[in-house]
């Protein structure tokens, strides 16, 4: 069995708190302190730095890297819509790091994107770059999809996982999601079909969600810095404090299995912001509901 700690959306900036004043460093430290599991890998699926800075990425790398080094396991990262490729590369290289922080695996070698592949206990770990600078949604270009298809053309001993920030799935119960997720997901599905991919791991939505794409399980992990409270009116985005993560178990009798973790936090559930996607502005629920 391979156990993966799946983190996402740490949103650490060079100054610490994000644009809403939420403290990603504190949230990440609290969550890592509370994780008591046997693990083989840590995956961070994007929005590492809220401001896209190398300093923000470095802080996350150091905190997650210390956690990984203490357990002797690799840590792997991909870009999100808040990240900037130059900041990501300066701090994380191609995003696949061994227990000692040194690069492992190999980069895809595609211009303008940061995609890579490595192997952990026979499991092939592939990270994709769905970042579209300045946009909330994600895109995978043809060159990246062709590279992914070539990598998956030969099965790996323990199968494969694909990690990207933007989910290729959404729920119609939340109207704004469709415009914020991976565009043209069917193109990714066509590549994944009939391969050894065991799971597609994503972030971005700040709440847990599971679905299937081309008969492959897609898992969206909760955010570290905040989670989206789906009890808010469907047209609004209400972010609340409370760091979350997932342990992904592969290779067991019920594989893949996903179970969420919530850090102990006396402020968990405290409102951090309310956002109106249609207006593109922060608001209050009382006015907009």
């Amino acid at each position: 069995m391979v156990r993966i700690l799946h983190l996402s959306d740490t949103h650490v900036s060079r100054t610490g708190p994000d644009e809403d004043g939420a403290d990603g460093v504190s949230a990440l430290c609290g969550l890592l302190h509370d994780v008591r599991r046997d693990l083989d890998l840590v995956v961070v699926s994007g929005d590492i730095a809220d401001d896209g800075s190398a300093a923000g990425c470095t802080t996350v790398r150091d905190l997650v890297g210390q956690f990984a080094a203490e357990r002797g396991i690799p840590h792997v990262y991909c870009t999100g819509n808040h990240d900037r490729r130059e900041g990501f590369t300066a701090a994380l290289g191609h995003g696949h790091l061994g227990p000692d922080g040194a690069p492992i695996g190999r980069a895809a070698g595609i211009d303008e994107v940061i995609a890579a592949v490595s192997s952990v206990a026979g499991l092939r770990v592939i990270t994709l770059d769905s970042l579209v600078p300045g946009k909330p949604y994600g895109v995978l270009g043809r060159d990246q999809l062709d590279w992914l298809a070539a990598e998956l053309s030969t099965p790996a001993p323990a199968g494969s996982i694909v990690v990207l920030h933007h989910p290729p799935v959404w729920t119609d119960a939340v109207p704004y999601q469709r415009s914020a997720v991976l565009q043209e997901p069917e193109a990714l599905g066509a590549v994944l079909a009939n391969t050894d991919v065991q799971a597609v791991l994503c972030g971005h939505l700040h709440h847990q969600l599971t679905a299937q794409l081309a008969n492959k399980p897609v898992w969206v992990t909760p955010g570290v810095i905040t989670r989206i409270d789906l009890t808010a009116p469907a047209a609004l985005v209400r972010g609340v404090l409370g760091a979350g993560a997932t342990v992904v178990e592969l290779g067991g009798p019920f594989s893949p299995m996903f179970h969420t973790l919530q850090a102990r936090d006396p402020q968990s559930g405290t409102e951090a912001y309310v956002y109106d996607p249609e207006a593109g502005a922060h608001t209050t629920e009382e006015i907009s509901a």
Side-chain angles (χ1 to χ4, degrees):
M1 182 181 292
V2 177
R3 289 187 178 90
I4 304 165
L5 177 63
H6 179 196
L7 309 173
S8 196
D9 297 274
T10 50
H11 285 268
V12 173
S13 74
R14 62 172 58 84
T15 56
D18 74 353
E19 60 185 9
D20 298 300
D23 187 346
V25 172
S26 177
L28 179 58
C29 287
L31 179 63
L32 294 176
H33 178 270
D34 281 351
V35 173
R36 296 173 178 86
R37 297 289 188 280
D38 292 329
L39 299 166
D40 302 287
L41 171 67
V42 183
V43 165
V44 187
S45 56
D47 275 5
I48 296 158
D50 190 64
D51 58 357
S53 65
C57 289
T58 298
T59 297
V60 175
R61 181 202 66 196
D62 290 348
L63 292 172
V64 174
Q66 179 181 352
F67 176 91
E70 290 169 352
R71 291 156 179 80
I73 60 176
H75 42 125
V76 169
Y77 307 78
C78 74
T79 55
N81 55 291
H82 276 258
D83 294 309
R84 296 176 185 170
R85 293 188 178 102
E86 59 272 23
F88 182 101
T89 302
L92 298 162
H94 61 251
H96 291 232
L97 305 177
D100 61 354
I104 59 173
R106 53 185 168 80
I110 303 170
D111 291 341
E112 306 293 323
V113 299
I114 306 170
V117 59
S118 61
S119 180
V120 178
L123 176 71
R124 180 166 46 202
V125 181
I126 298 174
T127 52
L128 301 177
D129 182 347
S130 54
L131 165 62
V132 180
K135 303 296 183 182
Y137 58 79
V139 170
L140 294 175
R142 188 70 255 169
D143 51 357
Q144 203 169 174
L145 291 170
D146 288 344
W147 172 79
L148 175 63
E151 291 295 325
L152 295 175
S153 62
T154 302
S160 302
I161 59 169
V162 172
V163 182
L164 73 160
H165 185 63
H166 295 87
V169 298
W170 64 92
T171 172
D172 288 333
V174 183
Y176 62 83
Q177 276 193 6
R178 179 66 186 91
S179 62
V181 295
L182 184 73
Q183 305 300 291
E184 300 183 6
E186 62 278 0
L188 175 60
V191 175
L192 298 179
N194 303 312
T195 66
D196 70 350
V197 171
Q198 297 193 52
V200 179
L201 305 182
C202 309
H204 189 49
L205 298 183
H206 289 237
H207 66 80
Q208 63 199 58
L209 182 70
T210 186
Q212 290 199 345
L213 178 69
N215 294 319
K216 302 297 184 183
V218 177
W219 175 258
V220 184
T221 194
V224 169
I225 192 166
T226 53
R227 65 176 175 84
I228 300 302
D229 181 0
L230 294 182
T231 66
L236 297 180
V237 184
R238 181 166 65 210
V240 300
L241 301 180
T246 303
V247 173
V248 182
E249 295 187 354
L250 303 175
F254 308 110
S255 178
M257 179 177 286
F258 311 94
H259 52 96
T260 56
L261 307 174
Q262 294 291 331
R264 297 171 295 165
D265 182 351
Q267 297 189 72
S268 183
T270 302
E271 185 177 289
Y273 63 86
V274 179
Y275 184 77
D276 184 339
E278 185 174 350
H282 287 72
T283 184
T284 63
E285 186 175 336
E286 291 74 20
I287 293 174
S288 301

